[in-house]
Amino acid sequence: MNKVEVLERATIIVNSQGLIEDIYEENNTEAAQKYSSAKFEQDVDCKGKSVLPGFVDAHTHPVWSGDRVHEFAMKLAGATYMEVHKAGGGIGFTVRHTRESSEEELLALLLERLRRMLSHGTTVVEAKSGYGLDLENEMKMLKVLHQAKQQSSIEIISTYLGAHSVPKDKSLQDYTKEILDVHIPKIKELKAKGEISPCNIDVFHEKGVFETEETRAILKAGRDIGLQINFHGDELHAVGSAELSGDLDVLAISHLEHISDAGISAMAKRPTFAVLLPTTAYILRLVPPPARKMIEGNVPVALGSDYNPNAHCVSMPFVMNLACVNMRMSMNEALVAATINSAAALGISDSHGSIEVGKRGDFVLLSAPKWEHVIYQLVDPPISSVFKGGKPVWSSSK
């Protein structure tokens, strides 16, 4: 994870399909001659600048209404995540507001959030449902994400997270049965009709929320209809989430603040990607996940912003900075975790996450001679332009 190849004075050619056609350094006269008579739609001069792969945000909750700024004061006064949750705040507060919002309202809110993410260099984002907690509203959220795919420059990998919390009017067993008997079949039906397009199944595996038996059943049901398993685990308590990785053929697990040594071994064996979310530990004042221990234990580590009403962060450069400062990752490791490893955690590393021939031409252009400035320049990184499929989709000059 600590190896990053840097090319000096290189040229990147992107073809009309938005794929990287060629990469060559300045002294490669043969390659330069090959394209000497070619006509290009755009020629971008990057002298004195740096080009990075577009960032891949591997964990977000961007579809919701009703902000929770009032809860920030509660947390600053010492309230824990679960105390806020039990007081009627947290996920329950957002669920009430999201249920009251129309698809059109949620889509407008989502598109603005995606625009802000794009301005911070994110070109692919994983995006979850999870603030509906019933059939109608969970499907509404997935439909909003499907519509946003057609309207946003950011590529969206959507995830069904109906098992984000247990509704107050249902028991764990009753809601789990509803997910298995009603939600999962409806996802299969609507996906076949082209109305929704989830790629992943997620569950909040946590003490007092979804216990291991229910988590296992829901994840298996999602896997059986073709969804990748990518779930929340070992966040507030050590509940053995990481140990499930081998049994269930898990692609990725997020959070992992309380991962065990046995869990690290299990994730390294498959391997299963650890999607670490340093903003969560920061905002909730938790001990950060043991990134160094996982990396040294051969667990592939990725990063996500965990954008949601509780962790209001759209900036992957800030996430990388937190990863370096609070989780002791090197800048090289943070870059790998925010690009190629995040892409792999979503099952798309064959086409995204690095600047290689044949992959998507997704780039972040920095107004800085060294790429490390994107992490070093805290809060306000020198992002000049963002490209998706070789085409400019955001510029600091506009």
Side-chain angles (χ1 to χ4, degrees):
M1 274 190 69
N2 206 33
K3 294 181 180 179
V4 173
E5 183 178 3
V6 177
L7 299 182
E8 302 282 352
R9 293 181 293 278
T11 296
I12 305 171
I13 306 291
V14 180
N15 63 29
S16 58
Q17 286 76 48
L19 304 177
I20 298 173
E21 182 76 19
D22 206 349
I23 303 169
Y24 58 91
E25 294 182 85
E26 186 179 54
N27 59 4
N28 190 334
T29 56
E30 182 180 345
Q33 180 62 33
K34 177 181 176 181
Y35 298 103
S36 61
S37 60
K39 293 183 179 180
F40 295 99
E41 184 178 318
Q42 185 177 20
D43 189 349
V44 181
D45 186 353
C46 301
K47 289 178 181 175
K49 299 181 179 181
S50 304
V51 181
L52 292 173
F55 303 132
V56 180
D57 190 340
H59 184 120
T60 77
H61 304 254
V63 185
W64 51 270
S65 63
D67 72 63
R68 282 152 48 185
V69 65
H70 59 287
E71 292 179 12
F72 188 51
M74 295 173 64
K75 296 188 184 85
L76 292 177
T80 66
Y81 177 90
M82 292 307 292
E83 286 170 346
V84 170
H85 181 76
K86 290 176 181 177
I91 293 171
F93 178 89
T94 303
V95 167
R96 291 195 297 275
H97 286 269
T98 303
R99 286 179 174 180
E100 292 167 359
S101 299
S102 67
E103 282 186 31
E104 292 75 19
E105 291 168 332
L106 291 172
L107 179 61
L109 290 167
L110 173 60
L111 290 173
E112 173 57 22
R113 291 162 187 160
L114 294 173
R115 185 198 65 78
R116 291 169 54 214
M117 291 178 182
L118 190 69
S119 72
H120 289 271
T122 296
T123 54
V124 179
V125 63
E126 184 271 354
K128 306 176 189 295
S129 67
Y131 295 122
L133 305 188
D134 62 20
L135 179 66
E136 177 187 356
N137 289 288
E138 284 297 314
M139 296 309 109
K140 178 175 71 176
M141 294 181 72
L142 291 175
K143 288 177 181 179
V144 167
L145 287 166
H146 187 69
Q147 293 171 50
K149 289 185 179 184
Q150 321 306 320
Q151 299 183 40
S152 175
S153 296
I154 289 188
E155 198 166 335
I156 300 170
I157 307 296
S158 62
T159 298
Y160 165 69
L161 180 55
H164 196 189
S165 184
V166 179
K168 285 195 171 182
D169 60 345
K170 293 184 172 71
S171 69
L172 169 59
Q173 291 73 25
D174 287 345
Y175 187 50
T176 298
K177 188 174 189 304
E178 178 184 322
I179 290 173
L180 296 174
D181 295 347
V182 182
H183 291 212
I184 299 292
K186 180 59 73 171
I187 289 170
K188 184 178 180 180
E189 175 192 333
L190 295 182
K191 190 172 182 181
K193 290 180 178 179
E195 296 182 26
I196 61 175
S197 47
C199 298
N200 306 303
I201 179 98
D202 193 350
V203 175
F204 184 19
H205 183 210
E206 180 56 63
K207 182 180 178 182
V209 190
F210 284 88
E211 305 289 349
T212 298
E213 181 181 348
E214 290 77 17
T215 295
R216 184 189 294 273
I218 294 168
L219 293 177
K220 286 177 67 177
R223 184 190 63 192
D224 289 345
I225 65 166
L227 302 180
Q228 300 174 136
I229 296 178
N230 189 330
F231 73 105
H232 291 59
D234 291 331
E235 177 185 357
L236 304 175
H237 301 89
V239 291
S241 304
E243 287 86 334
L244 294 175
S245 57
D247 294 345
L248 294 175
D249 194 27
V250 177
L251 177 62
I253 305 174
S254 293
H255 285 291
L256 299 166
E257 284 83 355
H258 292 278
I259 189 172
S260 67
D261 289 347
I264 290 175
S265 297
M267 290 184 70
K269 186 176 180 180
R270 185 194 177 273
T272 297
F273 284 84
V275 180
L276 306 186
L277 312 171
T279 52
T280 308
Y282 170 76
I283 202 73
L284 295 178
R285 295 171 170 171
L286 302 175
V287 175
R292 286 255 54 86
K293 197 170 185 179
M294 283 187 257
I295 292 169
E296 291 162 8
N298 296 317
V299 175
V301 168
L303 289 172
S305 68
D306 197 19
Y307 175 80
N308 70 77
N310 171 62
H312 220 284
C313 176
V314 296
S315 172
M316 285 301 286
F318 180 58
V319 169
M320 288 189 280
N321 184 283
L322 286 178
C324 292
V325 175
N326 291 343
M327 299 197 308
R328 310 293 184 186
M329 292 174 68
S330 70
M331 286 191 286
N332 281 5
E333 289 169 339
L335 179 64
V336 168
T339 53
I340 187 65
N341 276 16
S342 286
L346 300 178
I348 59 169
S349 57
D350 287 348
S351 54
H352 298 72
S354 58
I355 301 176
E356 297 181 70
V357 172
K359 289 194 173 185
R360 294 288 299 174
D362 297 352
F363 312 119
V364 179
L365 179 60
L366 305 179
S367 296
K370 290 185 176 295
W371 73 263
E372 290 90 344
H373 280 264
V374 77
I375 299 175
Y376 167 66
Q377 292 191 27
L378 181 64
V379 178
D380 188 27
I383 297 177
S384 172
S385 302
V386 180
F387 296 81
K388 185 69 182 167
K391 296 184 181 295
V393 290
W394 184 85
S395 173
S396 61
S397 63
K398 294 182 180 180

